[in-house]
Amino acid sequence: MIETLLKELAPQVLAALVRHHGGFDTCEDAVQEALLAASQQWPSEGVPDNPKAWLITVASRRRTEMWRSDSARVRREDAVVANAVEPGAVPAADDTLTLLLMCCHPELTQSSQVALTLRAVGGLSTAEIARAFLVPESTVAQRVSRAKQRIKNAGARFRMPPDAERSARMVAVLHVLYLIFNEGYAASAGESVHRVELTAEAIRLTRQVRERLPGDGEVAGLLALMLLTDARRPARTRDDGALVPLDEQDRGKWDRTAIAEGTALITETLATTTKSGPYQLQAAIAAVHDEATSAEDTDWPQILGLYDLLRVVAPGPMVTLNRIVAVAMVRGPAAGLAELDDAVREPALREHYRAEVVRAHLLEKAGRSEAAEHYALAAARTESEPERRYLEERAARSPR
């Protein structure tokens, strides 16, 4: 409960400090220390009556201490102390969206945007982010530090960007949330298939964005996509952690509440949108999968039609591979293999293990003995342990 509360309050507290004092980098450090103090004190002393005011006060005092340690700024202490936010003077405005847009500043690399978003908006500690992405804690610390410095050097102001710039910045925000969710749902490396803390965080943050932009079709589409995809998570692994492919999953384990919410959301959004974006189209595809009571009942022609649209709106290597699977399900594996031969001429797919997974799958469906060879090749290339074991198992049981 306390952890959830801290995550909800972290961006609001940081936004309040940055708006009041300026200096994103110093404020972010101060808020992290306030969150740490709360996580240590509240379990034993109880949650204060106004936790947001408590955090703002502690963070403000910590920020003042940081300024006092800087001899060049000593003369500004009195003014800072005088203007510090006191308990009870809690800003009513919620600047979470502004904060999110700042964390996805165009001057930052994508990895820095992700790290800064999870820390500043998500309230995750450096160690938690490092564990989630299986990188050393020092790496995350450096990314966050460099990101804050780049924002400072870019002269970024804590305010909502102009309308003309906001649309482009929102594309980056949604992409970062999408990346966080994908890493949680299909971990790119390590022993686990899922990293639930990341999928939960991505969904929580996307809900927050939707609350602030209820009329944005792509925000609704992204939230629907996350809900409809995450709904299958309970059936995606066996008790021993082994991966279960979609067509073999026990659909009785799927989260029907999440499917109902995601389906209603994407249905409403598509009905009121004149031009569908990539997240809306992906959500529509996920909804078709989730509506099928069995793998055999899946409406593959509809899915292929949606992938045809997605290929135009947002082409990319994974869209190409997923569409090829749909082609094979509608027109047969030979048609899919023919398109795959063309697709792997692209550098992005030439050595990609997922291209080998698709080839092995289609060869297996065609009853060809080369399937085992390509499953083994894909297993050698993936960095995900559960996926490697699954692919090795498929290679072992494929006819030779």
Side-chain angles (χ1 to χ4, degrees):
M1 176 184 170
I2 289 177
E3 184 182 357
T4 302
L5 179 61
L6 290 177
K7 284 184 177 180
E8 290 176 358
L9 293 178
Q12 298 175 43
V13 173
L14 177 56
L17 254 69
V18 176
R19 181 174 290 283
H20 190 76
H21 299 292
F24 177 84
D25 52 345
T26 310
C27 289
E28 205 277 331
D29 288 340
V31 170
Q32 288 296 317
E33 296 206 20
L35 293 173
L36 177 61
S39 67
Q40 293 172 339
Q41 294 181 33
W42 292 3
S44 58
E45 299 176 7
V47 178
D49 293 338
N50 191 336
K52 182 176 174 180
W54 189 97
L55 288 167
I56 290 175
T57 301
V58 172
S60 293
R61 287 173 180 162
R62 182 65 189 118
R63 184 184 180 281
T64 301
E65 291 169 2
M66 292 174 179
W67 274 49
R68 280 179 174 145
S69 67
D70 184 350
S71 59
R73 294 174 175 169
V74 168
R75 66 180 182 275
R76 302 167 69 174
E77 287 181 11
D78 291 342
V80 172
V81 173
N83 291 326
V85 180
E86 295 297 336
V90 181
D94 183 348
D95 295 315
T96 301
L97 181 58
T98 306
L99 186 62
L100 196 48
L101 288 164
M102 176 176 272
C103 292
C104 296
H105 194 282
E107 286 290 323
L108 303 182
T109 63
Q110 201 165 80
S111 59
S112 295
Q113 290 175 338
V114 169
L116 196 58
T117 297
L118 286 174
R119 177 157 149 165
V121 188
L124 272 64
S125 68
T126 302
E128 288 174 323
I129 300 169
R131 283 198 298 272
F133 284 93
L134 300 176
V135 296
E137 193 172 332
S138 59
T139 300
V140 174
Q142 288 171 3
R143 283 178 188 170
V144 171
S145 177
R146 282 198 297 265
K148 289 188 290 188
Q149 189 61 45
R150 288 185 73 87
I151 285 178
K152 183 178 180 180
N153 294 343
R157 300 289 184 87
F158 188 73
R159 63 189 180 195
M160 190 64 78
D163 288 346
E165 186 183 334
R166 194 188 308 176
S167 296
R169 296 278 286 274
M170 277 305 298
V171 171
V173 168
L174 298 187
H175 188 57
V176 164
L177 296 174
Y178 180 71
L179 289 176
I180 294 171
F181 178 84
N182 276 352
E183 183 60 26
Y185 189 73
S188 56
E191 294 289 337
S192 301
V193 173
H194 306 120
R195 299 191 182 283
V196 179
E197 73 276 17
L198 288 181
T199 52
E201 191 58 25
I203 290 173
R204 186 182 73 83
L205 293 176
T206 307
R207 283 191 189 279
Q208 287 189 0
V209 177
R210 175 158 166 72
E211 286 173 5
R212 288 152 186 80
L213 300 172
D216 190 305
E218 276 295 83
V219 174
L222 179 59
L223 179 56
L225 173 61
M226 290 179 179
L227 292 169
L228 290 162
T229 305
D230 197 51
R232 301 183 212 127
R233 179 166 46 82
R236 197 160 174 258
T237 53
R238 295 198 301 251
D239 291 342
D240 61 0
L243 188 64
V244 181
L246 179 62
D247 60 350
E248 295 178 14
Q249 290 177 12
D250 177 358
R251 297 178 183 227
K253 294 182 178 179
W254 288 1
D255 184 341
R256 293 293 161 190
T257 301
I259 290 174
E261 183 184 357
T263 302
L265 188 55
I266 190 58
T267 301
E268 176 188 349
T269 301
L270 289 176
T272 56
T273 301
T274 55
K275 184 178 180 182
S276 301
Y279 298 119
Q280 291 168 295
L281 291 171
Q282 290 181 74
I285 292 168
V288 175
H289 279 297
D290 288 5
E291 287 168 355
T293 55
S294 67
E296 294 73 23
D297 289 338
T298 304
D299 188 346
W300 283 105
Q302 186 180 359
I303 289 175
L304 178 56
L306 289 166
Y307 270 120
D308 285 340
L309 290 173
L310 185 58
R311 183 170 62 165
V312 174
V313 172
M318 292 306 111
V319 172
T320 297
L321 286 181
N322 290 336
R323 180 186 167 278
I324 286 172
V325 173
V327 167
M329 296 304 293
V330 174
R331 301 170 190 160
L337 285 166
E339 294 216 10
L340 183 60
D341 286 339
D342 289 335
V344 295
R345 294 192 179 97
E346 293 295 325
L349 289 177
R350 193 170 299 150
E351 301 292 332
H352 202 293
Y353 86 97
R354 288 197 181 278
E356 292 300 331
V357 174
V358 171
R359 184 178 297 282
H361 174 66
L362 299 187
L363 287 169
E364 186 178 29
K365 291 188 76 67
R368 290 168 55 176
S369 59
E370 308 99 294
E373 172 190 344
H374 290 279
Y375 274 129
L377 186 55
R381 289 179 179 174
T382 182
E383 295 182 7
S384 165
E385 282 301 312
E387 194 160 26
R388 182 183 58 76
R389 289 194 294 270
Y390 165 75
L391 292 169
E392 288 175 344
E393 181 184 311
R394 296 298 295 235
R397 73 187 197 196
S398 295
R400 296 172 186 270

